[in-house]
Amino acid sequence: MALIFSETVHATAIIDPEAVLAPDVQVGPYAIIEGPVRVGPGCVIEAHACLCGPLTMGRDNLVSHGAVLGKSPQHRGYRDEPTGVRIGDDNVFREFVTVHRGTVQGAGETVIGHRNLFMCNTHLGHDARVGDNCTIVNNALIAGHVELGDGCILSGNTAIQQRVRVGRLAMLGGMGASSKDIPPFILQQGYNCVTGLNLVGMRRAGFSNHAVNGLRQAFRILYREGRPISAALDRIAGDFGGIPEVDEFVEFIRASRIGINPARSSDRENYEVA
């Protein structure tokens, strides 16, 4: 590696000759960029952060103090293959976030979309897929091969088991964990427990009353009427098919390979998170 100094790169930073940084990228003290790393315009790499290639990063990303992106996966079968990480634009990786690159047993790369917020000490495992506008709160743990849909929220100290899918605008409450898929627009709390719909999240996203009411009815049919899942989905599709958000909900569950969690018993009809 070589020491490089400029107006935007601190004299103590270590930059590999294979790395390609846009001219305005800021690199702080003692940061390390090793291997084939490409960093787009407007990015800020703060002190003591580490980027390890193969890694590509779009524009206007913030990598905070001590974050480590692109190191080898925590996988017993990994044999130093040249897998990688691909990151979009406008993401924030706060202090001590870790993101591991893919495996040949998986897709070969870990992929992160745009405008995601990874708060302090969060972990994203190998071969994971993250959409856009997700919020990953402090100390959340995301295992390998997990897929996160757009706008989902994983609250503090949560855990997602490997190969789980989390649907769009779903939310996992603090200290919760899931070993099964979380459908779009669903609220889970505790361990493997559905507690309602993320109505606040849907309203903030601008969902129409028609869509929200359709999802309320879909929730009732699936989780409250005691039907087998396949029969409940057929009923939902028959009664509320054509509402795009309901169709998304149904298709996500039909595509699940590991199943979904049951709902906590409740008499409430207002399935809402504050």
Side-chain angles (χ1 to χ4, degrees):
M1 297 187 193
L3 288 173
I4 297 177
F5 173 73
S6 73
E7 292 183 358
T8 58
V9 177
H10 194 274
T12 60
I14 301 176
I15 314 294
D16 195 296
E18 288 189 83
V20 178
L21 278 60
D24 63 344
V25 170
Q26 299 179 44
V27 183
Y30 305 103
I32 298 173
I33 300 178
E34 59 181 61
V37 174
R38 300 182 67 89
V39 181
C43 291
V44 176
I45 315 300
E46 292 188 341
H48 296 279
C50 178
L51 275 59
C52 182
L55 181 151
T56 61
M57 178 180 292
R59 64 184 308 121
D60 299 322
N61 294 283
L62 170 65
V63 183
S64 292
H65 185 105
V68 179
L69 311 183
K71 281 294 188 179
S72 59
Q74 297 175 134
H75 189 288
R76 291 183 181 274
Y78 182 70
R79 297 294 182 267
D80 203 31
E81 297 92 351
T83 55
V85 174
R86 176 160 48 94
I87 299 170
D89 305 332
D90 297 298
N91 297 286
V92 174
F93 302 91
R94 290 300 302 267
E95 295 84 350
F96 304 105
V97 168
T98 53
V99 175
H100 289 170
R101 61 178 178 260
T103 65
V104 295
Q105 293 85 358
E109 64 178 354
T110 301
V111 179
I112 297 170
H114 310 300
R115 300 175 300 279
N116 298 290
L117 172 58
F118 293 83
M119 297 188 192
C120 299
N121 298 306
T122 55
H123 171 72
L124 184 67
H126 59 84
D127 302 293
R129 295 286 188 274
V130 180
D132 302 333
N133 302 303
C134 297
T135 302
I136 317 299
V137 183
N138 300 59
N139 303 309
L141 305 176
I142 303 165
H145 306 279
V146 167
E147 298 180 18
L148 301 183
D150 294 348
C152 71
I153 299 174
L154 304 183
S155 301
N157 296 294
T158 53
I160 301 290
Q161 184 172 293
Q162 63 267 24
R163 302 185 187 279
V164 165
R165 298 180 304 143
V166 179
R168 181 166 71 100
L169 290 175
M171 179 176 179
L172 178 60
M175 306 294 291
S178 191
S179 63
K180 295 183 180 296
D181 290 345
I182 304 176
F185 323 121
I186 285 294
L187 170 65
Q188 278 195 195
Q189 294 178 315
Y191 179 69
N192 280 355
C193 184
V194 170
T195 55
L197 285 171
N198 183 10
L199 294 181
V200 169
M202 290 188 285
R203 288 170 180 157
R204 288 173 178 168
F207 281 33
S208 67
N209 289 335
H210 184 56
V212 171
N213 290 334
L215 288 165
R216 280 181 180 271
Q217 296 304 316
F219 187 97
R220 177 182 56 78
I221 293 168
L222 179 63
Y223 290 105
R224 302 301 183 195
E225 293 189 351
R227 302 168 185 264
I229 290 178
S230 58
L233 295 178
D234 289 343
R235 169 75 185 278
I236 294 167
D239 289 356
F240 303 99
I243 301 174
E245 294 82 1
V246 174
D247 293 340
E248 179 181 351
F249 179 79
V250 169
E251 292 308 313
F252 180 98
I253 298 170
R254 282 180 169 162
S256 177
R257 296 183 177 181
I258 60 176
I260 61 173
N261 293 303
R264 182 168 63 197
S265 177
S266 173
D267 293 326
R268 292 181 305 165
E269 291 298 329
N270 183 31
Y271 313 116
E272 181 169 346
V273 55

